[in-house]
Amino acid sequence: MERDEKVFILGEEVAQYDGAYKVSRGLWKKYGDKRVIDTPITEMGFAGIAVGAAMAGLRPVCEFMTFNFSMQAIDQVINSAAKTFYMSAGTVNVPIVFRGPNGAAAGVGAQHSQCFGAWYSHCPGLKVVSPYDSEDAKGLLKAAIRDPDPVVVLENEMLYGVGYPVSDQVLDKNFVLPIGKAKIMRPGKHITIVAHSKSVETALQAANELAGKGIEAEVINLRSLRPLDSETIFKSVQKTHHLVTVEQGWPQSGIGSEICARIMEHETFFHLDAPIWRVTGVDVPMPYAKTLEAAALPQVPDVVTAVNKVLGVK
C-alpha cells in the first residue's frame, strides 16, 4: 500500500476492528477510510464493488472473513473477475486479490471448514496461491497484489498465529515470490510427498517420523495451485519413483486427483514403481465434534501409512 496508492483493502471488519484475525492491524490508522474500508455483511455486494474498482484501474484487496463466505460472491469472482480479460479480447485487466482464511479451522462446523483449492483452481482466468509459512505469506501476497490478473489467496486460519523462522532475504521489503513455482521443503530420495497450506506441516512431520525408519521423503510445498508447478513434481518423482499427495480438501476432483492425472499424461508415469496414493480429508461435511473433526482431516499417521503402503513397507 505504501508502494502503490492504487492498492486498497475492503471487507468485513478490516478497518476499525483491525480485521477479524488482525491481519490488517494498523492499516486503517495509517491509511484512513479511503483505502481501508469496512463493508456491510454482503459478500456479493462488496466483491462486485471491488471487481468494478479493478476494472477502473485500482488494485483492490477483497477480504472474505472466511472463504466459505465467498460462495455468496462466487458469481463476481468467476463471471465478473476471472472471465473479463478473455471476454474483452485482452482490453480489460482485472488486477484484484481475493484473500482470507480457507479450509478447516477448529470447531466451526461443516459450513465454515471446507477447502476451496480445487474449486477455484478449476477456473481459467484465476491464479490461485495457497501459502504455508511466513515466507510464502509475504512473498505470494505481494506477488498477488502486483499481478495484472485476479488472484485468489487461500490463507489458513490455524497458521495465522504460528511464527516461522525467516531469512534476511525474506525480511527485505523488496522480497517477492513468483506465482506458479513450488518449493522443495525437504530433499529426499525414496518418495515424494506433495502438499499445500497446512498439509505441508503434516507432510514435514510425517517425513521426520519416516526418517527415523530410514525412509527419506522429499516434501514439496506447492505454494501455487493454479498455475500448478508440474515440472518440480515430475523431476522429483523421476528421482524417487514414488508419490503421495496430501491435502485437507475432499478427495473427489481434488488437487491430488489433478496431480495424479498430470503424472498419468506425462512420461513421468513410466518412472513410477508403485501407484500414487492420495491422503485427503474424508468425503463428508466437516463434523462438529472435536474427535470426529480430527478423524475427518489428514493426520501424520495417515501420511506415514500411505508412504509405507506405496513403498511396500510392513
Side-chain angles (χ1 to χ4, degrees):
M1 292 178 78
E2 192 176 280
R3 178 178 174 269
D4 185 352
E5 62 181 20
K6 292 176 182 171
V7 177
F8 72 99
I9 181 168
L10 78 168
E12 293 152 2
E13 299 184 342
V14 299
Q16 295 185 41
Y17 189 67
D18 280 340
Y21 300 96
K22 306 308 174 193
V23 173
S24 54
R25 180 183 283 143
L27 293 181
W28 177 65
K29 286 179 181 172
K30 185 173 182 181
Y31 294 108
D33 290 326
K34 280 196 171 180
R35 296 185 64 193
V36 186
I37 303 167
D38 277 332
T39 66
I41 302 172
T42 167
E43 281 77 14
M44 175 62 103
F46 69 73
I49 289 169
V51 172
M55 289 177 179
L58 298 178
R59 288 185 173 269
V61 177
C62 177
E63 175 179 311
F64 295 118
M65 193 181 287
T66 146
F67 257 95
N68 299 277
F69 301 156
S70 76
M71 283 201 289
Q72 299 284 342
I74 201 162
D75 182 56
Q76 302 288 8
V77 178
I78 305 303
N79 284 329
S80 301
K83 296 177 182 175
T84 294
F85 184 68
Y86 178 83
M87 293 178 71
S88 68
T91 59
V92 180
N93 282 93
V94 188
I96 187 171
V97 173
F98 298 102
R99 56 155 294 276
N102 169 69
V108 290
Q111 293 154 316
H112 298 81
S113 300
Q114 61 220 42
C115 175
F116 287 86
W119 292 57
Y120 285 117
S121 65
H122 180 66
C123 303
L126 288 179
K127 292 171 184 168
V128 183
V129 297
S130 181
Y132 160 58
D133 57 15
S134 305
E135 180 179 326
D136 293 358
K138 179 178 181 179
L140 292 172
L141 182 57
K142 287 174 72 173
I145 291 169
R146 296 177 187 184
D147 200 273
D149 298 306
V151 184
V152 172
V153 181
L154 300 172
E155 299 162 6
N156 188 285
E157 181 182 333
M158 304 304 288
L159 299 177
Y160 278 150
V162 182
Y164 295 92
V166 292
S167 65
D168 289 339
Q169 181 191 6
V170 176
L171 291 172
D172 189 291
K173 71 176 187 178
N174 294 315
F175 176 75
V176 66
L177 287 171
I179 293 175
K181 190 77 184 111
K183 180 185 180 184
I184 295 174
M185 303 294 287
R186 177 190 178 115
K189 60 184 179 182
H190 296 125
I191 190 163
T192 301
I193 305 176
V194 178
H196 70 95
S197 189
K198 196 170 188 306
S199 293
V200 176
E201 178 184 282
T202 311
L204 288 169
Q205 290 171 349
N208 284 337
E209 190 174 316
L210 290 161
K213 303 172 187 172
I215 297 170
E216 291 299 327
E218 182 149 292
V219 177
I220 295 175
N221 170 11
L222 284 173
R223 283 183 167 169
S224 178
L225 304 181
R226 184 184 184 102
L228 192 67
D229 185 3
S230 302
E231 279 307 311
T232 295
I233 301 169
F234 293 158
K235 283 180 185 174
S236 178
V237 173
Q238 286 170 19
K239 176 178 71 173
T240 66
H241 309 294
H242 302 89
L243 175 61
V244 167
T245 67
V246 188
E247 63 189 304
Q248 289 195 338
W250 293 311
Q252 181 162 323
S253 310
I255 302 300
S257 307
E258 176 63 23
I259 291 169
C260 290
R262 293 197 187 192
I263 296 275
M264 286 283 291
E265 294 164 356
H266 189 263
E267 62 168 336
T268 302
F269 174 73
F270 299 104
H271 292 262
L272 285 171
D273 288 343
I276 301 169
W277 198 284
R278 294 177 298 154
V279 180
T280 70
V282 176
D283 198 18
V284 295
M286 180 62 71
Y288 181 69
K290 192 172 184 180
T291 50
L292 291 176
E293 184 179 68
L297 292 168
Q299 307 295 337
V300 171
D302 301 323
V303 180
V304 171
T305 299
V307 168
N308 287 338
K309 285 185 175 177
V310 170
L311 292 176
V313 177
K314 292 184 180 177

